[in-house]
Amino acid sequence: GAVVSQHPSWVICKSGTSVKIECRSLDFQATTMFWYRQFPKQSLMLMATSNEGSKATYEQGVEKDKFLINHASLTLSTLTVTSAHPEDSSFYICSARLWTGIDEQYFGPGTRLTVT
Amino acid sequence: GEDVEQSLFLSVREGDSSVINCTYTDSSSTYLYWYKQEPGAGLQLLTYIFSNMDMKQDQRLTVLLNKKDKHLSLRIADTQTGDSAIYFCAERGTDKLIFGTGTRLQVFP
């Protein structure tokens, strides 16, 4: 149990276009999901906290108009990178929170975005 | 502030024990976690420990917590080649996880 999927697993897009990444909790409901960015050989940087039915909470320095987050249901959150630039190229990972008596996060497999 | 640090690299021989260390600064953290990340993949929760515990054992994994020194360690017994990965410790900050810098574990035969 506690499986999280991401789609697509990798995507290549041209500068100026927008890309949508989906994060789904397959066998549990998640009122809270998280979006992280990971640069090569570095740790995870939390970008935003996605709450079902309300606006996402963005970390300092993350542009909310560039990284649009929608958490429309208890099993789906989407991250849209708008007007993508090469510096947006990165590995994006989502996680879904599951309360089991403690705060557990289950991670998706990640999406590799390359902007040309 | 919230800052979690780990050594960057560890190399061990197959069958030996691995010990990965982590230091954190937020003494109010209630839980501390260990995650494993294989190349090109997301993170897998390995184990966690409550801040009021000193030790937790789960099969080949042993977690030690020294709250006074804010030091956390993960010991992997009988390390196998399949254990090669990046290991992240994480502390639970204010409604979010703060990840360490990650330790790359390489297991050689």
Side-chain angles (χ1 to χ4, degrees), chain A residues 1 10 12 23 35-36 48 51 57 67 70 81 83 91 94 104:
Chain A
W10 59 270
I12 301 173
C23 178
W35 287 97
Y36 296 85
N51 299 297
T57 303
F67 298 100
N70 187 305
V81 182
S83 187
F91 194 55
C94 73
E104 293 189 40

Side-chain angles (χ1 to χ4, degrees), chain B residues 8 42 55 73 84 88 106:
Chain B
L8 290 179
M55 185 184 86
S73 68
S84 294
F88 292 95
Q106 183 177 31

Side-chain angles (χ1 to χ4, degrees), chain A residues 37-89:
Chain A
R37 186 171 177 177
Q38 186 179 32
F39 292 100
K41 299 183 180 179
Q42 293 190 26
S43 188
L44 280 74
M45 180 192 80
L46 178 65
M47 298 174 66
T49 302
S50 170
N51 299 297
E52 187 269 337
S54 65
K55 291 182 179 180
T57 303
Y58 290 82
E59 294 298 301
Q60 191 172 5
V62 178
E63 299 175 60
K64 60 182 179 182
D65 294 330
K66 180 167 184 62
F67 298 100
L68 300 178
I69 291 172
N70 187 305
H71 195 152
S73 77
L74 288 171
T75 58
L76 173 64
S77 175
T78 60
L79 169 69
T80 301
V81 182
T82 63
S83 187
H85 288 114
E87 55 265 33
D88 298 325
S89 298

Side-chain angles (χ1 to χ4, degrees), chain B residues 47-100:
Chain B
T47 187
Y48 61 89
I49 188 168
F50 292 110
S51 59
N52 62 357
M53 297 171 65
D54 297 325
M55 185 184 86
K56 180 180 180 181
Q57 187 161 358
D58 185 359
Q59 299 182 331
R60 292 192 297 124
L61 305 179
T62 302
V63 179
L64 295 178
L65 176 60
N66 181 328
K67 201 172 180 182
K68 174 176 172 289
D69 295 336
K70 299 187 184 71
H71 183 265
L72 181 74
S73 68
L74 174 70
R75 179 178 180 270
I76 305 173
D78 187 26
T79 312
Q80 302 297 307
T81 54
D83 295 324
S84 294
I86 300 176
Y87 291 80
F88 292 95
C89 63
E91 61 175 347
R92 188 172 190 271
T94 308
D95 205 36
K96 63 184 180 182
L97 295 182
I98 310 297
F99 285 88

